[in-house]
Structures are given as structure tokens and as C-alpha cells.
Amino acid sequence: MVRDYLSQLNEPQREAVTHTQGPLMIIAGAGSGKTRVLTYRIAYLIDQGVDPFNILALTFTNKAAEEMRHRIERIIGPEARNLWMGTFHSVFAKILRIDGFKLGYTSNFTIYDTDDSKSLLRSIIKEMQLDDKTYKANYVLNRISGAKNNLISWQMYNDNPIFQAEDTAAQMPELGRIYRTYAMRCFSANAMDFDDLLFNTNVLFRDHLDVLNKYQHKFRHVMVDEFQDTNISQYLITRKLAAVTQNICVVGDDAQSIYAFRGANIQNILNFRKDYPDLRVVKLEQNYRSTKNIVNAANSLISRNKGQLEKNIFSDNEEGAKIEVIRAMSDNEEGRIISHEIFEGKLTGLKNSDFAILYRTNAQSRAFEEALRKINIPYRIIGGLSFYQRKEIKDILAYLRYTANQKDEEAFKRIINQPKRGIGDTTVAKIVVTASDQGVSVWDVVSRIRNFFEGRAANAIEGFADLIRSYILMLEEGKDAHAIAMHVAKTSGLLHELYMDKTVEGVARHENVQELLNSIRSFVDNDENEDKSLGAFLQTVSLLTTADEEDDGDNDKVTMMTIHGAKGLEFRHVFVVGLEENLFPSQMMLKSRDDLEEERRLFYVAITRAEKQLTLSYAQQRYTWGKMTFCEPSRFLEEIDSKYLRLGDKGIPQGFETAGRNPVSPQRPAIVGEPVKRPSPASNLKPVQAAKPVETHVPSPDFVPSDTKDLKAGDQVEHPKFGFGEVKKIEKMGATAKAVIFFHNEGEKTLLLSFAKLRIL
């Protein structure tokens, strides 16, 4: 059996699979068969006699873990179910369910999602009588998250004068106090946020060596996928777990490290050898996914990064088509061009699902959605509103959370008046304050409401408490997750309220709740889930990522998503759109070399999603914050060796028209602290439809823009870039005025007069 699957591997892959003792780093280039190697390596370990219970494999999505588990099961059988395999958060949540009592938590602790955390922070900011426009919940949460990912507790934060000085300078001197209150409120609610799952695991291993020792001897082999995306907290945990056996295997690609904004630290992979001097390094350099042209283009781009591990990614696939570069006049035209490219591609036999449109920000999807709808091409957006973030779903889940954990204050606040019971915000606030003053939980007050309140509100709260007691009784009787969820949906009044709403939106919300109940039934009926309790289901849901969620079953759709969301995916034909300065690379990522190199790695990830065809596009102008702005082609277009590019016949990129002409704009901002460096001219580009050579216009020595409010047809003008021309007509729409101008060297162009710099001759 071992010989059979080993024969399917190339030499470096085989080495990675069979090297089982001591530290190992597998540098896995894009499309190099990383998942197959990880799968076979685990199967090989089990074939060599390692107990699956002694193998820990950490991934970044539950979907990746399940895919690997099923592959391993096909090779070695049901023993694969005994592996400790899952995301960092799911595995550490499991450890904390078992041993978190040493930190003061019960095993049924709630896991707060981002919305829960923000809601709690807004409450704290309001209670402290701070300005919520200064102390924005999103910023405060990011600040706290950054501290936790660097293992900085609220005590350490408040004792550090540097943090205090930074917060004072940012006019938020109370951040430390908010962090302290937030941490204490989470603890009193028997709740952890996502960052706590990592932070508290570190604390558990640091302060309770007996627990650390238990897991060090349990996990004889530790494997970490996507190692370039780990943060300090994740790395320290895995290093501690592997300290006894030193059998740690990390798999990753520094060229695909794109999550610094989430706390990922690329130095973990770049400096791994320093922590393990006897490290074995295996490089998976053959790309099985993409054509030679795509792989070589990606290599030419990423070679400009200084901070990277040495490797030589290559492909033995066909040469493939050159990468098409398309210039559009506007973002709307960009949407139309790309949608028609997809339409034409389908005429050659491709399916909708063969295409993906990747963009830097979610806001860019609008133009493509409109264009695809107009020609009836179905699409799906990945990373939009998650199924589990919909209001009706969160309402039901909040009831289930409160059933499992009556200390969960955020769940209580969500359901106490949902559906309407005549319990206002003032009453809820009084309950919370009373609980705080009495030093008890909110449930202690609610369950004995007559000891604290009287009147109509007390009657409603008493009815609510009786309802929750009936749910708790089902839980104590050992009813499974589906039985409890069905009872909650019916008796809470939520399902009836949605059923009575016959609007299109109401019907959709009712169907969503039915789908949730179906998913809980599926969870209970799944033989692989030994624990079918409500608590087990809630943990599964709370740790889902967007990438883990099921779609609607119709897979033949064009996929649209951000590049960050596309990591690990592949498509036959990929469109990377919006390649403009200050959009991609993002304006926020031009402050340092490290930031720019991460943006370049992001573009590298986008390129390497393509199997057969890759199209790059940009717009000359797009609306930003409600105003039309003129755009400059991204520097990344210039950084790809021009021999791999083909100028699309839908438009020739500005700056690429003339052989030997340097397309870099002299106005482009340099990276702070770094001299401006110009890439070599794109002199080998050959347009599909040859453009008439033009001379670069040099503005007149006396060029000063004129006041254009009285500009009229027939006026002769000079533009600093397009040269001399004649105004053909003026178009006015409200306060906005456009001029249609025929330029002698550039042809006809339409310019917004509020932005155009024109000298009237």
C-alpha cells in the first residue's frame, strides 16, 4: 500500500512524505501538490505504526481539514477519524473545553464572533460615557486583537507606558481601561473571542506545565499547514507542543504570505531555521496547475521582493496563452468588457464555473455584478454576507447559545425582546446594572425577577425565564442539538413571526431558518460526529469561516471574490481587475517596503490562481467616494516581464502604446524612505491591433491650467499629457460638466472639467 501511493509522487514530494523524524520545512510553491503531500505524509506515518491519536495537523480552514481527512480515510480506512486535525481555533477550543477549567472557564463557554465583540465594546464605551465617534468599536477591537495576538494581556497593556503614550497621541487614552473591562466582561460571561482561543491556550501551557506536558507526550508529530500565515501566538503554541519530540513539520510558501493585517508574521517561516539548526528543508518547486507562461510571469513579478526564501518555481505544462492586459475607460466599462470576455469564452465550451473575477476590495464587485446580470450570466460572490451572519439566523443561534450558557450576556441582550415582548432597552439596562450591583449574573436576576422588579415588564421577563428553563431542561435530559433547536424555533415565536411575514424578504428569512434547522439535522445524522449535543453544534458553527460554508448547490456560476479570499483556489480563466495605483497596490500599503512587498505577494497569489488563461485589467477613471478620479496603471503591470504579456484588443494600456516608452508616471509616490526606482521600459510588448506611434507630449514652458467654467466648443486647448486638441462639445449634467475633446495625437477623449487640467490657447 505504501509503495502504491509513494509511486504517485515526484522526488521532492516523496522526500517530504518519508522524512518523519526531526524538524522539517516544506516550501510548497503555488500548485505544487501541497495537499497531496500532507495527506500522504500522514498516511505514511500511520503506515509506519504511529497512532492517529498521536498526530496533530493544524490547518487554516475546516474545509481543508475535512478534505484531507477524507483523502487519508480513503487510503488507510476509518482510523483517520482519530486524527487531531482542524483549524488552530477549533483544536485549541477543544483543548480549552477539556482543560480550560484551570483558567476559571466552564466547558460550555461561548465563543464570541466579531459582532458579539463589537456589541460588547459599544456597551462598554457607552457605560464609560466615552465618545463613540472617537472610540469606534471596530478600531478598539482591532487594537485589542493585535495585543492578544502578540500575547499582551490587559495587565501588560496598562503597565506599558509606550502603549499609553500611543493611545494618548491618538486621542484615545482610555483604550487600556476599555481592554481591561472587555476582558473581565468576557470572563464573567464565560465567553472567549477568537483571539482568546489562542491567547488562553498560551496562558494554559505557560501556567500549567502538567497540561503542557500531557499534550507534548500526546502529540508525537505536529504538522502546520500554511505556516507563512501563522502569528506569534500560533507559532509559540506549536513550538511548545513539539519541544519534546522535535517532530514538527511546517508547510508553506513565503511568496503567499498575505495576512499581515490579521497578525500573520512572515518572519515565522523566514527565520524557522534559526529555531531548528538541524532543520531539513524540502522544496516543492514544480507547478502542476498553471501554464509555463503564467508561472514565468508570476516568477518575474515576485523576484522583485527582497524578503523571500530562495526557490525556482517551474512548470512542465504547455506554454499557454500570453496574459491579456486590458485598459478600460471607466470601471463600468471594465465590467462590460470582462462580462463579454466571459460570454465569448463560454462560446468555446467553457462553463461559468471556469471563470473567476478577483479584486482588491469588495466594493469593486458592483460594476461586474451589473454587467453580468445584463447578459444573464449567473455569479456568486464569496465573502459577502455570511449565512450565519444573517439576522434571523443569529437570533435563533442566540437562543441556543443562551440555553447552553446563561452567563452569555450578549446572547441575552439579543433575545430578551426578540420577538417583541414589551421589554424595552431601559428595562434591559436596569437588569444588567442590577446584576452588576448584586455581583451576580444577568440570569440570576432574570430567573428571580420578582425579587427585583414588579409590573408588566416583570410579567414578560418571567415568561421569558420559564421559556429558557424549558430549554435548559431539554439540554439536561440529553436531547440532541436538532431536537432542542426545533423546540426553540417553534416555542420562542421566531418561526411563527417569520411565517406570518409574507413579503419576499420575509419568505426568504423563513427559508433561511428552515435551512439552519436542516443543517442541524445533518449535523446530528452525520455518523462522523460522535458528539451530537447542542454544545458541539454551537462550537462547530462558531468556528466556521466564510470559506467553510456550503453554497446553494448550483456550482455553475462565475466566482467573484477578493484576492485574499481566493487563497488556495484555482480556476481555468482568472480575471484580476482594478490594477491601478492606490487601488492595487492599495494606497494604505505604500508606507514601507514590507507593506509593498505584501501587496506584491497578494498579486502573485492572484496570478497563480489561473490554470490556462489570465486577464489583467484596469480603468482610466473610476468613482471614488462619489467623485470621478483619474487612474494610473498599477506599477505591478510594469513589473511583469513584458514578453509574457499581450495587449488586449479591447484597449491598449496607457503608457504601453509606444515601444521603448517608460510607462512609469513621474507623479507616482515613492515608498517612504526609499528612492524612486524605475522599472525597465516595456519595450517588447506587441499590441494585437497595432497602435499608431505617437510622440510623448511635453507641456509648454508657460503651461498653467486655465479656468474652464466658460470653455466652449471650438476652443483650442492644451493638456499636460494628451497634448493639443479642439473642444468638440460641452456636456452639462447639474453641477457636473464634461468636455469632449479631439486631441491631435490621442484621439477623442471625454474629460471631467472639475478634474481636467487644460490650458485654453
Side-chain angles (χ1 to χ4, degrees):
M1 184 195 301
V2 175
R3 191 179 304 111
D4 180 44
Y5 62 76
L6 289 183
S7 65
Q8 301 173 32
L9 304 174
N10 63 31
E11 188 55 42
Q13 289 175 332
R14 195 176 301 115
E15 181 184 359
V17 166
T18 58
H19 181 80
T20 60
Q21 298 301 309
L24 172 68
M25 180 164 68
I26 303 171
I27 301 174
S32 62
K34 176 195 68 173
T35 303
R36 169 182 284 193
V37 168
L38 273 173
T39 300
Y40 287 0
R41 189 173 196 276
I42 294 171
Y44 184 80
L45 283 168
I46 296 171
D47 276 342
Q48 296 300 300
V50 178
D51 191 324
F53 282 103
N54 297 140
I55 298 173
L56 171 63
L58 297 167
T59 65
F60 270 80
T61 66
N62 295 293
K63 184 175 285 188
E66 285 307 303
E67 180 187 345
M68 285 172 56
R69 192 191 303 276
H70 288 132
R71 287 195 193 185
I72 297 165
E73 195 171 341
R74 286 196 292 270
I75 299 172
I76 65 165
E79 274 286 283
R81 298 179 188 178
N82 297 329
L83 291 162
W84 275 61
M85 178 183 286
T87 64
F88 280 91
H89 292 90
S90 65
V91 169
F92 298 161
K94 187 175 180 180
I95 289 173
L96 289 166
R97 297 277 180 206
I98 298 169
D99 293 295
F101 70 92
K102 290 180 177 285
L103 301 179
Y105 293 89
T106 64
S107 61
N108 65 334
F109 64 80
T110 297
I111 300 174
Y112 279 176
D113 64 15
T114 302
D115 285 347
D116 296 321
S117 296
K118 288 180 183 177
S119 174
L120 176 54
L121 283 169
R122 280 192 285 267
S123 297
I124 292 169
I125 290 164
K126 185 176 182 181
E127 291 163 15
M128 289 183 172
Q129 298 182 330
L130 300 172
D131 183 358
D132 59 4
K133 291 183 175 60
T134 301
Y135 292 90
K136 294 180 179 177
N138 192 53
Y139 176 86
V140 175
L141 181 60
N142 287 338
R143 183 74 169 168
I144 292 173
S145 175
K148 288 181 182 177
N149 284 332
N150 286 287
L151 300 180
I152 299 167
S153 65
W154 67 262
Q155 295 96 331
M156 295 166 64
Y157 191 97
N158 281 279
D159 288 342
N160 191 314
I162 295 176
F163 295 145
Q164 294 173 23
E166 288 176 351
D167 293 344
T168 301
Q171 298 184 326
M172 286 182 279
E174 299 294 338
L175 272 175
R177 192 157 64 99
I178 294 173
Y179 184 7
R180 173 183 180 275
T181 307
Y182 173 77
M184 296 179 74
R185 289 278 280 276
C186 284
F187 183 76
S188 65
N190 193 34
M192 300 187 199
D193 64 22
F194 272 23
D195 298 314
D196 285 328
L197 296 174
L198 305 180
F199 183 88
N200 286 333
T201 302
N202 268 294
V203 173
L204 182 66
F205 289 166
R206 181 196 69 195
D207 295 348
H208 299 276
L209 295 181
D210 57 326
V211 177
L212 174 60
N213 185 63
K214 176 176 73 171
Y215 289 106
Q216 284 176 331
H217 287 84
K218 176 179 180 60
F219 301 132
R220 311 297 296 176
H221 291 269
V222 177
M223 276 178 270
V224 184
D225 191 16
E226 304 287 5
F227 187 63
Q228 75 280 348
D229 294 332
T230 55
N231 59 32
I232 292 172
S233 182
Q234 290 163 327
Y235 178 46
L236 288 179
I237 293 172
T238 52
R239 194 171 72 175
K240 284 180 181 177
L241 287 173
V244 172
T245 65
Q246 297 282 296
N247 291 333
I248 182 169
C249 169
V250 301
V251 186
D253 179 9
D254 58 293
Q256 298 185 66
S257 178
I258 58 173
Y259 293 118
F261 67 96
R262 292 185 191 166
N265 189 343
I266 193 174
Q267 297 306 316
N268 289 348
I269 192 168
L270 295 180
N271 296 329
F272 194 64
R273 186 185 294 275
K274 293 180 181 178
D275 292 324
Y276 296 94
D278 56 343
L279 179 71
R280 173 76 69 90
V281 177
V282 176
K283 298 178 182 179
L284 307 183
E285 297 174 304
Q286 183 170 355
N287 181 307
Y288 291 93
R289 174 189 301 154
S290 307
T291 64
K292 289 180 179 177
N293 200 71
I294 291 171
V295 170
N296 292 336
N299 287 344
S300 71
L301 171 85
I302 204 64
S303 66
R304 295 174 179 270
N305 272 14
K306 291 186 176 181
Q308 59 179 314
L309 298 170
E310 183 183 345
K311 52 191 169 297
N312 178 34
I313 307 301
F314 68 95
S315 172
D316 280 342
N317 295 336
E318 72 272 22
E319 196 73 28
K322 289 192 174 184
I323 297 168
E324 185 178 34
V325 181
I326 291 176
R327 178 189 70 194
M329 286 296 295
S330 66
D331 48 351
N332 287 331
E333 186 186 58
E334 185 182 35
R336 289 193 294 271
I337 292 173
I338 299 304
S339 64
H340 281 89
E341 289 258 308
I342 293 172
F343 183 84
E344 291 171 6
K346 290 177 63 179
L347 296 178
T348 67
L350 297 182
K351 304 189 296 292
N352 293 316
S353 56
D354 289 326
F355 300 96
I357 301 173
L358 307 182
Y359 33 74
R360 182 63 177 83
T361 65
N362 276 309
Q364 292 170 250
S365 70
R366 178 199 55 79
F368 302 98
E369 288 186 72
E370 291 177 0
L372 289 170
R373 278 202 298 266
K374 284 179 181 175
I375 54 177
N376 296 317
I377 293 179
Y379 62 87
R380 59 175 180 167
I381 296 179
I382 307 297
L385 181 64
S386 158
F387 177 80
Y388 289 99
Q389 294 299 316
R390 293 185 168 101
K391 179 185 180 301
E392 61 274 16
I393 302 302
K394 287 182 75 73
D395 288 344
I396 292 280
L397 290 176
Y399 268 98
L400 299 179
R401 279 170 43 183
Y402 202 61
T403 299
N405 174 20
Q406 291 82 56
K407 291 184 178 180
D408 188 342
E409 191 176 308
E410 290 307 306
F412 164 76
K413 288 191 289 188
R414 187 173 189 98
I415 65 175
I416 183 61
N417 200 37
Q418 189 66 276
K420 301 293 184 186
R421 296 187 176 89
I423 304 170
D425 291 344
T426 303
T427 302
V428 174
K430 286 179 181 177
I431 293 172
V432 173
V433 170
T434 301
S436 178
D437 291 345
Q438 297 289 325
V440 297
S441 72
V442 167
W443 173 247
D444 288 328
V445 175
V446 168
S447 61
R448 296 181 292 117
I449 195 65
R450 293 296 180 184
N451 294 350
F452 304 97
F453 295 92
E454 291 295 338
R456 189 174 61 181
N459 294 335
I461 293 167
E462 200 165 46
F464 170 78
D466 289 341
L467 203 61
I468 298 299
R469 286 192 188 97
S470 71
Y471 303 157
I472 295 171
L473 182 62
M474 292 186 73
L475 191 68
E476 291 173 345
E477 290 174 348
K479 301 290 187 184
D480 65 40
H482 183 257
I484 296 173
M486 282 295 295
H487 184 66
V488 167
K490 291 176 180 177
T491 59
S492 66
L494 287 175
L495 201 57
H496 177 72
E497 183 179 64
L498 292 172
Y499 177 76
M500 296 304 292
D501 184 353
K502 299 302 182 183
T503 65
V504 173
E505 295 80 10
V507 171
R509 286 193 288 268
H510 186 265
E511 290 173 350
N512 286 338
V513 172
Q514 293 289 355
E515 183 58 33
L516 173 66
L517 295 172
N518 291 340
S519 74
I520 302 176
R521 165 60 75 186
S522 177
F523 172 84
V524 169
D525 290 346
N526 188 342
D527 292 336
E528 292 184 13
N529 297 325
E530 294 181 9
D531 186 350
K532 304 179 187 302
S533 68
L534 178 61
F537 171 75
L538 288 173
Q539 175 168 313
T540 300
V541 170
S542 66
L543 295 170
L544 279 176
T545 64
T546 305
D548 293 320
E549 292 184 23
E550 297 295 327
D551 56 34
D552 58 10
D554 180 6
N555 291 320
D556 190 26
K557 295 179 179 179
V558 174
T559 298
M560 295 169 56
M561 63 200 310
T562 65
I563 303 167
H564 282 101
K567 183 100 174 298
L569 303 180
E570 55 188 42
F571 303 90
R572 185 180 177 91
H573 190 161
V574 170
F575 298 88
V576 186
V577 300
L579 278 158
E580 297 137 32
E581 281 296 302
N582 298 325
L583 180 56
F584 195 16
S586 166
Q587 187 173 17
M588 295 185 293
M589 299 294 281
L590 297 175
K591 297 177 182 177
S592 69
R593 177 181 295 282
D594 287 346
D595 286 347
L596 182 61
E597 291 201 349
E598 170 137 341
E599 285 290 281
R600 192 176 286 116
R601 291 194 296 269
L602 188 60
F603 188 32
Y604 176 85
V605 166
I607 291 172
T608 54
R609 299 311 94 201
E611 297 173 353
K612 301 291 185 183
Q613 288 179 278
L614 176 64
T615 300
L616 311 176
S617 68
Y618 74 97
Q620 289 182 286
Q621 54 189 25
R622 71 172 60 238
Y623 279 101
T624 306
W625 302 107
K627 291 184 178 181
M628 181 66 77
T629 58
F630 290 93
C631 310
E632 181 187 354
S634 170
R635 67 188 71 195
F636 293 153
L637 286 172
E638 303 157 6
E639 292 179 354
I640 299 175
D641 193 319
S642 59
K643 66 185 177 185
Y644 303 120
L645 302 178
R646 176 173 69 90
L647 300 182
D649 54 8
K650 310 299 186 298
I652 298 170
Q654 201 168 5
F656 284 87
E657 295 97 333
T658 308
R661 181 173 162 192
N662 191 334
V664 176
S665 165
Q667 281 77 41
R668 173 171 302 158
I671 308 167
V672 174
E674 180 186 15
V676 177
K677 295 184 179 179
R678 307 295 188 209
S680 57
S683 56
N684 295 323
L685 288 171
K686 298 292 189 293
V688 174
Q689 293 182 345
K692 184 178 179 180
V694 296
E695 295 181 1
T696 303
H697 177 73
V698 178
S700 303
D702 60 345
F703 184 90
V704 175
S706 304
D707 183 347
T708 56
K709 69 176 184 294
D710 295 323
L711 191 69
K712 60 186 184 299
D715 283 350
Q716 302 296 313
V717 296
E718 180 186 10
H719 186 277
K721 191 171 189 177
F722 304 140
F724 297 99
E726 179 181 344
V727 178
K728 293 300 181 183
K729 63 178 177 178
I730 301 293
E731 299 174 349
K732 291 190 176 181
M733 294 181 63
T736 303
K738 299 179 182 178
V740 178
I741 304 172
F742 181 82
F743 291 101
H744 305 317
N745 289 334
E746 297 279 349
E748 190 171 279
K749 293 188 178 295
T750 302
L751 305 178
L752 275 173
L753 292 183
S754 58
F755 288 94
K757 294 182 174 63
L758 296 172
R759 181 172 77 101
I760 302 174
L761 303 179

